[in-house]
Amino acid sequence: MSVVFAGYRPGALASVVGLHMEYYAREWDFGLAFETKLASELAEFLTRFDPERDLFLTAWRRGALAGCITMDVSGGGIAGAHLRWFMVADSARGSGLGKQLMARAISHADSVAAGPVWLTTFAGLDVARALYERFGFRLESEADADQWGGGVREQVFERPAPSFLGGDI
């Protein structure tokens, strides 16, 4: 599969939202509450995007979005860099694209953020969880809170700073 990696380009925001909705509406029955939250938070991130610290990575195949991932370093807060909006298109699943996107995002965080990385997700996304754990993330908390409006159990995963940065991985 020939993939072109890029950052932002016109239409990327809509494509990222569409890619998420294609999966989450079909598999988890997420609707308007999730879509508007996703679109507004992604738009806010892109508006304040700092190219020296943050990462907005898209992967395109034949002009269509095949995957995306974001590392919000400047807005991640005291918990460290915030991994967000990680998704691979149905057509690219099993191709290794998710691993490539994750590797690039973690490398970026390690070189720029010099600290821990965290993400929020929900129970039931077992393939994604296995990939997170492969990259050193650990489940730190789980709650019935559901910020996405889909009736799911929210989880927070954290990846400590790598040992070469003074953390313990």
Side-chain angles (χ1 to χ4, degrees), residues 27-117:
E27 298 296 326
W28 295 92
D29 203 27
F30 284 13
L32 182 62
F34 175 75
E35 187 168 6
T36 56
K37 180 177 179 53
L38 169 65
S40 65
E41 289 181 3
L42 181 55
E44 185 274 329
F45 168 76
L46 289 171
T47 300
R48 66 170 169 75
F49 180 79
D50 179 351
E52 299 297 317
R53 298 181 44 83
D54 301 319
L55 175 73
F56 179 72
L57 182 62
T58 55
W60 302 85
R61 182 177 176 208
R62 291 187 220 121
L65 185 64
C68 53
I69 197 165
T70 300
M71 192 63 73
D72 187 356
V73 177
S74 58
I78 61 170
H82 188 182
L83 179 74
R84 306 183 79 180
W85 306 302
F86 175 46
M87 178 61 68
V88 175
D90 291 343
S91 63
R93 291 210 174 96
S95 69
L97 180 59
K99 182 180 173 187
Q100 290 175 24
L101 288 165
M102 183 67 72
R104 288 174 181 235
I106 294 299
S107 176
H108 176 83
D110 289 350
S111 66
V112 175
V117 177

Side-chain angles (χ1 to χ4, degrees), residues 97-167:
L97 180 59
K99 182 180 173 187
Q100 290 175 24
L101 288 165
M102 183 67 72
R104 288 174 181 235
I106 294 299
S107 176
H108 176 83
D110 289 350
S111 66
V112 175
V117 177
W118 63 282
L119 64 93
T120 56
T121 187
F122 57 88
L125 298 174
D126 299 331
V127 173
R129 180 179 179 157
L131 186 60
Y132 300 146
E133 290 174 341
R134 185 174 178 183
F135 277 86
F137 285 88
R138 294 183 219 137
L139 179 63
E140 293 297 322
S141 66
E142 192 168 20
D144 287 329
D146 176 11
Q147 65 175 307
W148 301 289
V152 296
R153 186 163 175 77
E154 187 173 307
Q155 298 174 321
V156 176
F157 282 80
E158 294 178 6
R159 178 183 177 268
S163 58
F164 69 88
L165 296 174

